[in-house]
Structures are given as structure tokens and as C-alpha cells.
Amino acid sequence: MSNSKQIPYSYSRIEIGPLEDSSLMLLIKEKYSTSRVIIIVDENTHDYCLEKLINVSNQFETAEIILLPAGEENKVLEVCFQVWEAFSEYNFSRADLVINLGGGVVTDMGGFIASIYKRGIDFIHIPTSLLSMVDAGIGGKTGVDLGSFKNQLGTFNHPKAIFIDSSFLETLPAKEIIYGYAEMLKHALISDIKHWEEIKSIKNDVDLTSIEILTKSIQIKASIIEKDPNEGGLRKILNFGHTLGHGIEGYFLQTSSLAHGHCVALGMCAEAFISKEKGLLAPSEYLDIENCIRRSFHFISLDAKEIQGIIEVIQQDKKNTGNIINCSLLKGIGNCIYDQKITNQEIANALFHLNLLASSIN
Ligand SMILES: NC(=O)c1ccc[n+]([C@@H]2O[C@H](COP(=O)([O-])OP(=O)(O)OC[C@H]3O[C@@H](n4cnc5c(N)ncnc54)[C@H](O)[C@@H]3O)[C@@H](O)[C@H]2O)c1
């Protein structure tokens, strides 16, 4: 039995609450009593989160720990190869269990590693960043980046369970909380104007990470996945902010590396701008979004060469069909439409607008 709150969801068990009250150990007893347990962490979750997991049960004291280098620049195939070699050396079998303990980089890459090894071994996510609790850990997308292109290699494969314990956030740096806020704003903007009104002015971390607000954000994502798990249509609305956001993130990945959540926030502002320019979003709604994003996120200056470079990355986006760049745009706050064709010129105008904001407000 679990004392945690459960979110109804067909693809994985999702529980929110202290890990020690969750059904994690019961699940292991029932399904993995003879399995070896492999815990994947990065350098920070090794230092800040692993002990808490091991304290839940002494069974974890004998688990194999796989340590990944932290950071998006390490979400690459080369690191996966090293882990697969280690899995092979330890002779892990298909009956074993992977637990991914970390932010979105660990859940994406750990899920991918588990999905590919011996054609797939079971995995569980224990997300430790706000962004992975509300977004990356939910929905079954696993993967790694390829050069400047985000998540180009990956699978759809759902974890058996997702255990969300907000006490992990106590050690998460403040800026990482804000990056998670970006995806929470996205969930509100694409589907729920009431939730947008509720979270757009939240200033303190305590309110943002309350069980009620976390639950709402997770429910929004889970309900979209329920309707379209493999992104045939509706799920594309979750990509709002990500066409231009991934373009910015991918362009800077090889040099200065900007955080995913930061780029999504800038991408949402730019794509809301395009929505307004296309007459889909009222100017007052656009300003509401711009003001909200300005309050929490730093706008970066982009020169003409960088804007051209970002457009070139966007031209390779996996959501494109042929030469057509597809984007999810807002048709009013709380309503998102997908497969909207956007041109290079519209992207350039939006990025120049971001640059203007950077020079006027930073
Ligand atoms: N699969 C999906 O559906 C999906 C959705 C959104 C984002 N993503 C991916 O998620 C990634 C971004 O995730 P993220 O923002 O969590 O980045 P991240 O995993 O790099 O974590 C951010 C930083 O916080 C550290 N950290 C994590 N938990 C901590 C804790 N409790 N205490 C101290 N430090 C901690 C990490 O080590 C890292 O340095 C991107 O790669 C993005 O593409 C995937």
C-alpha cells in the first residue's frame, strides 16, 4: 500500500509524496525481488539525492551505481556507449531494473540506455529537478542529442513507475527551479487559462513547488499523453516554445550552453510573438505572456549571425515535414494549435524581437 497521492495515468504509475511513503519498495518486492537494481545518477544527484534513496531501504545498499557526468553537453551517445559497456561487464540481464535518479538529462538518457540495452529492461524514474518532475519524467520520451540537434536519437518507452518526492527540490539550485517553472507555464498556456492566472505571478519557490501546483502541472501533461502517446497529433501542443527554444538551445550547445528551461522560456516568448503576428493571439494576451517571462528569465542578445545560425538549426527540427517548419502556436491563452507552418522570415522577426527585449530590459 502507498500513502502517496496517485495520479491516474495509463502508461506508468505516478505517485506524489515522500519516497518512504510510496509503493516503491512494494513494487520492487512484487516484481523485482530477484532482479539486480541499477541506480543511474549524475554527479549532483549522486551527492545530493542518492543517500535519501538508499535510506528508504537497505536493499539499495547493494545496488550498482552508474555515475553520469552532469549537464546537457553529456546527453550524448558516447556516454551511453560507456554505460552499455559497463552493463555488459556487470552482466546485467533483461530481468534487472534501472532506477533513474536525477533531472531531465538523467531521466532522458537513463530511459534511453534502459530501452536499448538487450532490447529493453524495465526502468523507474525518480525525478529530482522541478523540470523533470512536471515534464521530462512523464510521457515516455527518452533520448540523447546529436551535435546541435536536440533529442535526435530516442525511443517512446514508458517507465514502470514515476515517484515524485518534492523534498529533493531542497537542494536544487534556485535557477533550476525557475527553469522548471518554464515548462509549468507552458502547460498552463497550452491548455488551461485558469491555471495560467494561478501561476503567472508566482514569485516564491514554496508556492511553485506545492503539491497542488505540481499535481496540476503533471495532470495537464499526463492527460495529453493519454490522448496521444506517440505524438500523432495532439501531443504536439507540448512542443509549444520548443521549435525556437530548441533552435536557441541547439545553436549554443556546442559553445556557451544555455539551460533547456531557459531556452523554452525564450522560445515561448518568440512563438507567442509569432502567434500574435499571425493574428491568433490578441496583443494584450501576448503582452501578458511577455511580461510574465520577463519577470523570471534573462533575455539574451542575439546578433544577425546567431539568428541565422539558430534558423539553420531549426531547419533540421525533427517536427518539420520536408522543408516546411511546423510549430505549435497559441490561439488564445489556454488554447494551442499544432502543425502551423512558419517561415524563416517569421522566425527571424521573432528572434529580432527577443534581441530588442534583451537590449531594453536586461
Ligand atoms: N522527455 C521529455 O519529455 C522531456 C521534456 C522536457 C525536457 N526534457 C529534457 O530534460 C532536460 C532538462 O532537464 P533538467 O532541467 O532537469 O536538467 P538537468 O538534468 O541537467 O538538471 C539540472 C541540474 O540540476 C542538477 N540537479 C538535479 N536534481 C538536483 C537536486 N535535487 N539537487 C541538486 N542538484 C540537482 C543536475 O545535476 C543538473 O546540474 C533536457 O535535456 C531536455 O531536453 C525532456
Side-chain angles (χ1 to χ4, degrees):
M1 272 297 287
S2 151
N3 292 321
S4 299
K5 178 176 180 158
Q6 203 183 326
I7 295 191
Y9 180 59
S10 314
Y11 298 99
S12 313
R13 184 177 185 86
I14 307 181
E15 286 182 22
I16 307 187
L19 215 46
E20 48 278 19
D21 293 344
S22 76
S23 67
L24 171 64
M25 293 323 295
L26 186 67
L27 178 69
I28 291 183
K29 192 171 153 214
E30 283 178 354
K31 281 198 73 183
Y32 304 101
S33 59
T34 56
S35 308
R36 292 161 78 191
V37 174
I38 304 140
I39 304 173
I40 301 188
V41 287
D42 72 12
E43 293 146 312
N44 296 315
T45 61
H46 175 275
D47 291 356
Y48 297 113
C49 309
L50 186 58
E51 193 181 336
K52 185 176 168 61
L53 174 60
I54 289 177
N55 284 342
V56 171
S57 163
N58 55 12
Q59 236 176 298
F60 291 130
E61 281 168 10
T62 55
E64 304 292 349
I65 310 297
I66 299 283
L67 178 65
L68 305 178
E72 184 72 30
E73 62 279 18
N74 295 305
K75 201 178 101 174
V76 291
L77 209 48
E78 289 77 358
V79 172
C80 299
F81 275 124
Q82 291 172 18
V83 178
W84 285 319
E85 272 165 11
F87 274 28
S88 222
E89 227 167 84
Y90 289 129
N91 201 16
F92 292 142
S93 82
R94 253 182 169 177
D96 292 333
L97 174 72
V98 168
I99 299 181
N100 297 308
L101 178 71
V105 168
V106 169
T107 55
D108 272 17
M109 188 154 62
F112 181 65
I113 288 167
S115 302
I116 300 296
Y117 183 72
K118 297 196 174 170
R119 296 214 173 87
I121 61 179
D122 286 357
F123 60 98
I124 287 173
H125 285 337
I126 305 183
T128 60
S129 69
L130 181 59
L131 192 144
S132 61
M133 289 181 187
V134 298
D135 196 358
I138 322 276
K141 277 188 182 176
T142 79
V144 293
D145 305 331
L146 190 63
S148 293
F149 307 115
K150 289 272 303 170
N151 307 324
Q152 290 282 299
L153 307 170
T155 63
F156 282 106
N157 192 5
H158 295 269
K160 293 294 162 211
I162 304 155
F163 296 102
I164 292 158
D165 180 343
S166 61
S167 71
F168 281 117
L169 300 175
E170 286 162 16
T171 57
L172 190 72
K175 65 176 192 306
E176 298 293 343
I177 297 275
I178 296 299
Y179 300 148
Y181 183 41
E183 300 282 15
M184 295 169 86
L185 291 172
K186 177 193 75 180
H187 289 165
L189 282 171
I190 62 175
S191 74
D192 192 331
I193 191 167
K194 221 172 119 224
H195 186 50
W196 165 254
E197 292 300 333
E198 190 178 22
I199 66 168
K200 71 177 185 187
S201 308
I202 285 187
K203 283 197 191 78
N204 87 45
D205 294 358
V206 178
D207 292 342
L208 195 58
T209 58
S210 73
I211 296 294
E212 293 67 35
I213 298 287
L214 286 182
T215 303
K216 181 72 202 168
S217 199
I218 293 165
Q219 276 169 337
I220 291 175
K221 176 145 189 191
S223 70
I224 294 168
I225 311 290
E226 285 287 355
K227 295 185 190 115
D228 177 22
N230 294 333
E231 206 167 281
L234 180 73
R235 185 174 177 161
K236 295 179 187 174
I237 64 174
L238 287 162
N239 297 328
F240 172 64
H242 284 64
T243 301
L244 273 71
H246 275 169
I248 298 170
E249 188 180 357
Y251 179 77
F252 289 106
L253 198 56
Q254 310 296 328
T255 51
S256 45
S257 192
L258 294 171
H260 176 76
H262 187 184
C263 295
V264 168
L266 300 179
M268 286 194 295
C269 189
E271 291 175 20
F273 180 84
I274 296 175
S275 306
K276 171 187 72 88
E277 293 293 287
K278 281 180 175 294
L280 296 165
L281 191 65
S284 58
E285 290 178 300
Y286 169 72
L287 268 185
D288 195 20
I289 297 168
E290 185 189 286
N291 287 336
C292 169
I293 294 175
R294 280 171 60 168
R295 276 195 294 274
S296 297
F297 298 91
H298 173 77
F299 278 69
I300 53 166
S301 306
L302 297 166
D303 62 29
K305 183 172 157 270
E306 288 165 337
I307 288 175
Q308 184 52 35
I310 293 168
I311 293 173
E312 282 164 20
V313 174
I314 293 171
Q315 281 164 343
Q316 297 268 348
D317 193 293
K318 58 189 173 315
K319 301 183 289 297
N320 298 346
T321 34
N323 289 331
I324 295 174
I325 298 173
N326 292 316
C327 193
S328 297
L329 296 176
L330 292 180
K331 194 172 177 194
I333 290 179
N335 186 24
C336 188
I337 48 177
Y338 55 88
D339 284 345
Q340 298 299 300
K341 181 175 177 283
I342 56 171
T343 63
N344 288 349
Q345 191 56 54
E346 285 169 319
I347 297 171
N349 292 347
L351 293 174
F352 276 116
H353 183 71
L354 290 191
N355 186 50
L356 202 69
L357 290 175
S359 52
S360 65
I361 61 181
N362 284 328

